[in-house]
Amino acid sequence: MEDVARQFNVRFKYNVDTAGLRLTYADFRIRPYSIDETLTNICKAFDFNWWDQGNGLYKIKPYEYPRRHTEEGARMLDYLASRYHNRAEFEARRDSVRREVRHLLQLDAYRDSLVQGKALLGKVRHYDGYTVQNICIETLPGEHVYGSIYTPAFKGHHPLIICPDGHFYGGRYRKDEQLRLATLARMGAICVDFDLYGWGQSEQEYGKDSHQTDRAHVMQALNAEVLLDYMWMHRKDIDKTRVGVNGGSGGGTHTVLLTVLDDRFTAAAPTVNLASHFDGGCPCESGKPIQRAGGGTCNPELLAFFAPHPVQVVSDGGDWTASVPTLEYPYLQRIWGFYGAQDKVENVHLPLERHDYGPKKRQANYDFFIRVFGLDRSKCDESKVTVVAPEVLQSVLPRK
């Protein structure tokens, strides 16, 4: 590897132990015209992979099943696009793959064990233009989903937005999450978020290590469905024709998944997550083998099954979504074109930003839901939001 570094004038960082490893015919694996091919030839012998970090730095890591190089994502989208040339061909595959995703996720097996218990609701707290109420529902016997409901302070028939969370530090209690959900509520939408499996109050039931399991994948989808079911059946102020889903990072991955699983959603805004070459780096996103559905799929195709409903994909230049404007977005435009609805799918790309849920990303979400759900733009003001301590957003634990 030192020879390779000198030949190509690059540096290596190792996330693997290379001590004592020997490679036969090592010199013959070097391709003088391509550092990429050279590293592929070397790494595949040990089930390693390489990643270009920029500025001549390459990271050598163990093989990761959910992560591929951008060029592999491009080839995957080309392959998928070759499988359907019109709406009829696309819908035939859509219906088949959606069923298979649900089967591979094992969601229905979990739903068969659901507890039909009452929701434990906290006191309604009143703020400037919105209210917040904590909710706890027993899902499986002895297991619970913990979340909060943000509601406009004024009466009406409001759109509902389910907000799965990502892995940003602080979980659903962090400042930017409260700002986003409260602002959407001030503008007229009811928003519901909930703890990741094994995070927040959920950690008290399962332990923090539970999140790094494939059970987290299905439980987070199940928890979103349970909350949607509750709101659908018990809240009379819900407009059932306007049901959105919106999350960032891992929450964006689950935003895509929920559009596959549930026909009640009518708009989606996955943020800083979508890529053809990355399924999500946590078992809560890619633990169950849903990407094997239909002989092989990826998140952009899963999102494409939501056509022709309105979708906004937010991407940035500092993470794996940097490819969206030139790779994933054109693919999505082609699918929405089958329905004559290319204006219903859009990409907000922020090339100078990195992986977070910052103000510009939140504003893109606000603008989208203002357009598709008719929210009140005059109330789009984050300075009116009261950010509270995490314990305020936690439910009283049910008695054992």
Side-chain angles (χ1 to χ4, degrees):
M1 293 299 286
E2 292 177 356
D3 291 342
V4 172
R6 283 193 293 270
Q7 181 166 344
F8 290 96
N9 191 29
V10 297
R11 296 170 292 122
F12 294 115
K13 179 180 179 180
Y14 296 91
N15 280 22
V16 294
D17 184 3
T18 61
L21 296 182
R22 297 182 62 84
L23 183 61
T24 57
Y25 303 111
D27 293 344
F28 293 91
R29 298 173 189 261
I30 296 175
R31 300 291 181 264
Y33 52 83
S34 174
I35 180 65
D36 293 0
E37 288 189 36
T38 297
L39 292 180
T40 297
N41 289 341
I42 294 171
C43 288
K44 66 184 179 183
F46 303 107
D47 208 23
F48 296 160
N49 209 339
W50 59 269
W51 299 101
D52 185 353
Q53 305 294 291
N55 298 317
L57 177 64
Y58 286 79
K59 183 181 290 187
I60 308 300
K61 300 177 63 176
Y63 176 78
E64 299 171 277
Y65 68 88
R67 189 188 302 266
R68 299 164 293 279
H69 293 110
T70 306
E71 295 76 16
E72 295 176 84
R75 290 194 291 272
M76 183 64 169
L77 289 182
D78 286 344
Y79 161 74
L80 292 172
S82 72
R83 301 199 59 172
Y84 28 77
H85 302 88
N86 53 56
R87 176 175 171 177
E89 292 176 355
F90 172 73
E91 290 184 349
R93 176 170 168 83
R94 177 198 66 189
D95 296 343
S96 173
V97 174
R98 288 182 71 181
R99 288 192 297 270
E100 194 170 351
V101 165
R102 195 175 186 93
H103 172 72
L104 291 169
L105 188 64
Q106 301 178 324
L107 182 64
D108 290 327
Y110 279 70
R111 287 193 69 93
D112 288 344
S113 301
L114 276 178
V115 174
Q116 300 300 320
K118 292 184 178 180
L120 176 66
L121 296 170
K123 180 181 178 180
V124 176
R125 302 185 302 280
H126 296 266
Y127 301 102
D128 187 342
Y130 68 101
T131 66
V132 184
Q133 184 178 34
N134 300 334
I135 182 170
C136 170
I137 301 177
E138 187 174 13
T139 52
L140 305 179
E143 303 183 33
H144 303 82
V145 56
Y146 301 92
S148 297
I149 305 169
Y150 295 70
T151 302
F154 55 92
K155 293 182 179 181
H157 221 206
H158 306 295
L160 170 66
I161 305 175
I162 301 296
C163 301
D165 198 24
H167 298 95
F168 301 113
Y169 179 76
R172 70 179 181 90
Y173 311 108
R174 67 189 192 276
K175 179 179 179 179
D176 68 81
E177 177 104 348
Q178 295 186 50
L179 290 174
R180 177 167 55 94
L181 271 64
T183 300
L184 287 167
R186 293 187 78 255
M187 293 192 293
I190 298 174
C191 297
V192 184
D193 67 353
F194 54 99
D195 281 332
L196 292 170
Y197 180 78
W199 280 39
Q201 287 188 276
S202 177
E203 181 182 338
Q204 300 174 28
E205 288 192 348
Y206 303 109
K208 64 180 180 180
D209 293 338
S210 63
H211 188 72
Q212 297 297 319
T213 66
D214 64 353
R215 193 175 196 262
H217 198 181
V218 60
M219 284 300 297
Q220 286 175 198
L222 181 72
N223 288 342
E225 292 262 276
V226 166
L227 288 167
L228 176 55
D229 289 345
Y230 171 81
M231 300 296 289
W232 189 269
M233 293 184 292
H234 297 285
R235 289 289 293 254
K236 303 303 182 184
D237 53 351
I238 296 294
D239 179 354
K240 295 181 179 180
T241 68
R242 295 182 291 168
V243 181
V245 56
N246 169 221
S249 192
T253 305
H254 271 269
T255 293
V256 173
L257 178 59
L258 289 170
T259 66
V260 176
L261 299 175
D262 203 307
D263 289 332
R264 289 175 289 184
F265 290 109
T266 63
T271 300
V272 294
N273 81 292
L274 193 71
S276 53
H277 43 92
F278 190 36
D279 306 329
C282 178
C284 83
E285 302 172 73
S286 54
K288 296 293 185 182
I290 63 173
Q291 307 293 340
R292 288 168 40 197
T297 185
C298 61
N299 284 333
E301 185 183 44
L302 297 182
L303 182 60
F305 297 153
F306 196 54
H309 294 301
V311 162
Q312 177 183 262
V313 177
V314 178
S315 56
D316 62 69
D319 62 18
W320 57 89
T321 65
S323 62
V324 168
T326 57
L327 183 54
E328 288 82 8
Y329 183 49
Y331 165 81
L332 295 175
Q333 286 183 303
R334 176 175 181 260
I335 303 304
W336 263 257
F338 290 159
Y339 298 84
Q342 283 183 302
D343 61 324
K344 295 293 182 65
V345 60
E346 53 191 292
N347 171 220
V348 175
H349 186 65
L350 303 167
L352 300 181
E353 298 213 358
R354 301 188 66 81
H355 189 72
D356 62 17
Y357 221 139
K360 291 183 180 179
K361 300 178 179 76
R362 298 196 299 275
Q363 187 61 54
N365 292 164
Y366 301 151
D367 292 341
F368 174 72
F369 285 112
I370 287 169
R371 291 193 299 273
V372 301
F373 284 166
L375 304 184
D376 185 351
R377 183 179 292 276
S378 69
K379 296 180 180 178
C380 185
D381 185 352
E382 290 187 341
S383 70
K384 302 295 185 180
V385 175
T386 299
V387 177
V388 302
E391 55 268 23
V392 178
L393 294 169
Q394 294 184 341
S395 299
V396 176
L397 290 171
R399 294 179 179 178
K400 298 292 185 181

